[in-house]
Amino acid sequence: MVNQTRAPGPLLERLQAIAGMERGRRRLVLLWPQLGDFDSVEYAQALVAAWPRLQAAGVAVQAIGIGAEPGRQRFCQYTGFPEARLQVDADGALHRQLGLYGGLEGFGGPWPNLLLMCAGVGSPGTLAEVLRGYVGSRGFQRPFELATVRLGNMAEVLGHWRTYVPHDRALTQRGGTYLLDRDDTLLYAHRDPGILGFSATMARPLAFLEPWLDQGPM
């Protein structure tokens, strides 16, 4: 959590060029890894479910993921995420400018590093989150409910891998979340520490938004 801190310069520069994301309103900005990443798909699905509340509260949303235009279009068709609110970068340059975790390195290239991260190496919390998908969460998900959703997401991504992930260079790159106030103050920030770590509260990934959703537009 961050209080009374101005949002990072590179992020503000990017938002200035995006219609509807200018200073003067609350903005939720998602920096997603590859569009074929578990985190990107699952985060988008959570946001789509909450979209009416976000609109009612006057929170503008913009996601920036790693990928290309064909993947962007298929991602939005699959998840229901609005195409107008998703941009793609080819190599994650903005992610690096913001100092987001680049993932594990030094073990023979992107794929070995990614597989090790899936096993929890250099990716804290990943194995626990995978396990939660099978055992469920008290009050939120039944056993195997989330695992079933993730299996469907995996089938979609692997069936169209090169559409979602046109190159392997940024396979391990992680993302981040930024909630900006009207004056560019940073109300909340989260840097993903590993795979399936896009929220500090994965059982309720959008819990950080509750204080502002309840306020309504101002």
Side-chain angles (χ1 to χ4, degrees), residues 101-109 113 116-117 172-173:
Y101 180 38
L104 195 64
E105 297 178 349
F107 289 91
N113 290 324
L116 284 170
M117 289 181 70
T172 60
Q173 177 68 54

Side-chain angles (χ1 to χ4, degrees), residues 121-145:
V121 180
S123 187
T126 297
L127 291 181
E129 181 56 24
V130 171
L131 179 62
R132 186 180 70 85
Y134 291 96
V135 301
S137 302
R138 181 177 299 176
F140 302 114
Q141 274 129 3
R142 297 183 298 273
F144 290 95
E145 181 180 359

Side-chain angles (χ1 to χ4, degrees), residues 57-68:
V59 178
V61 181
Q62 182 67 47
I64 302 169
I66 301 174

Side-chain angles (χ1 to χ4, degrees), residues 26-85:
R26 289 201 179 108
R27 291 146 288 167
L28 175 63
V29 187
L30 305 318
L31 273 291
W32 285 338
Q34 294 274 3
L35 293 183
D37 195 285
F38 270 134
D39 297 54
S40 303
V41 177
E42 200 167 308
Y43 207 160
Q45 290 168 332
L47 286 165
V48 168
W51 206 264
R53 293 187 69 199
L54 288 162
Q55 289 187 310
V59 178
V61 181
Q62 182 67 47
I64 302 169
I66 301 174
E69 181 59 20
R72 188 186 76 89
Q73 293 179 11
R74 185 165 189 98
F75 181 93
C76 291
Q77 291 168 3
Y78 176 69
T79 63
F81 195 83
E83 284 196 38
R85 305 283 24 121

